Amino acid sequence: MRLFLANMAPYPPRVTLYVNEKRITLDRQEVDLHGMEHRSPSFLAKNPAGKVPVLELDNGGYLPESGAIIEYLEELYPAPSMIGRTAEERAQVRATNGIAGEVFTILSQILMHTSPVALQIHPGFIQLPDVGIALQPMLDQLLDQLEQRIGDDEFLAGATPTIADCTLFALMEAVYTGFGYELPERCGHLRAWYERFRSRPSVTM
Ligand SMILES: N[C@@H](CCC(=O)N[C@@H](CS)C(=O)NCC(=O)O)C(=O)O
């Protein structure tokens, strides 16, 4: 198998974090987004959406979408489990993972509509600051849910790392690096988790 990725967050790092945590050996191939390689006919044949990551399978097929790639690899390499060992554990991990994904969707819209950095990245983007104001309560509620779910646990969904940690860490790292966004002060458990996760070998390797 070969993982096509690029030096752009958050979706490729979401998968590489997972692969590093699991210590799965995969060929990795960089796609040159600045050189528009992802719009070339040969890449569009792998993923018509023109996005990374994409996993090339041993049977010659291609699998897009970071979440689907992670769940596919988890089925191939179930141990150590990063999605939960029982039906209930898996459901809880998927719930946390889903909330983390929603955080990113809402937060990226807020930042796009309110941050001056967004205009540097996407010149000409029409910012509607009211969108940011309208979405803020939704973001607050999602973060409060995650803060409550992690509680005193070491990881987002319990005592061991799961796919939810890979999702939220990749997303938070992207908004911190790109926009300087930090988790709010009131999310003490999440802020401590972020600092702890940052020093894991899967992040630093
Ligand atoms: N939903 C997709 C999103 C993939 C995505 O948006 N990847 C970005 C890099 S982080 C990309 O390839 N952007 C290139 C483009 O949209 O032109 C996933 O989860 O993999």
Side-chain angles (χ1 to χ4, degrees):
M1 283 186 292
R2 175 178 302 171
L3 185 62
F4 290 88
L5 38 79
N7 186 17
M8 188 190 272
Y11 298 104
R14 179 188 191 186
V15 177
T16 49
L17 269 178
Y18 167 82
V19 166
N20 292 347
E21 282 286 341
K22 293 281 282 202
R23 300 187 180 276
I24 297 170
T25 308
L26 282 178
D27 288 339
R28 300 181 191 200
Q29 188 166 322
E30 281 280 328
V31 176
D32 178 8
L33 296 189
H34 295 295
M36 301 304 280
E37 190 186 343
H38 58 309
R39 300 286 168 199
S40 67
S42 71
F43 187 82
L44 291 174
K46 298 175 178 63
N47 181 5
K51 291 182 189 297
V52 284
V54 177
L55 183 66
E56 182 180 26
L57 309 179
D58 288 338
N59 66 8
Y62 292 97
L63 184 60
E65 292 294 324
S66 55
I69 293 170
I70 288 173
E71 292 225 15
Y72 174 77
L73 291 172
E74 186 68 9
E75 287 201 30
L76 292 188
Y77 304 97
S81 174
M82 282 187 66
I83 197 165
R85 284 149 303 173
T86 64
E88 186 178 343
E89 276 181 16
R90 284 191 287 279
Q92 292 293 2
V93 169
R94 287 196 173 103
T96 305
N97 196 44
I99 298 168
E102 278 185 64
V103 165
F104 184 69
T105 306
I106 302 289
L107 180 53
S108 53
Q109 286 303 310
I110 292 176
L111 292 170
M112 281 302 293
H113 283 285
T114 57
S115 166
V117 178
L119 293 178
Q120 292 162 19
I121 304 170
H122 298 283
F125 181 79
I126 298 170
Q127 287 190 316
L128 303 171
D130 282 353
V131 172
I133 295 167
L135 291 177
Q136 188 62 45
M138 218 179 278
L139 175 67
D140 291 344
Q141 204 231 34
L142 290 165
L143 289 175
D144 289 347
Q145 282 184 57
L146 288 179
E147 177 71 5
Q148 199 175 13
R149 290 183 83 84
I150 187 171
D152 291 323
D153 286 338
E154 173 92 8
F155 297 96
L156 284 184
T160 55
T162 67
I163 62 172
D165 295 282
C166 300
T167 300
L168 191 67
F169 188 83
L171 306 182
M172 293 318 303
E173 197 67 348
V175 292
Y176 176 70
T177 313
F179 295 89
Y181 177 87
E182 292 184 35
L183 287 159
E185 294 284 341
R186 71 173 194 284
C187 297
H189 294 300
L190 285 177
R191 285 170 67 95
W193 160 84
Y194 182 64
E195 285 310 316
R196 278 197 305 276
F197 205 87
R198 203 174 219 174
S199 59
R200 288 184 71 74
S202 60
V203 176
T204 55
M205 69 178 28

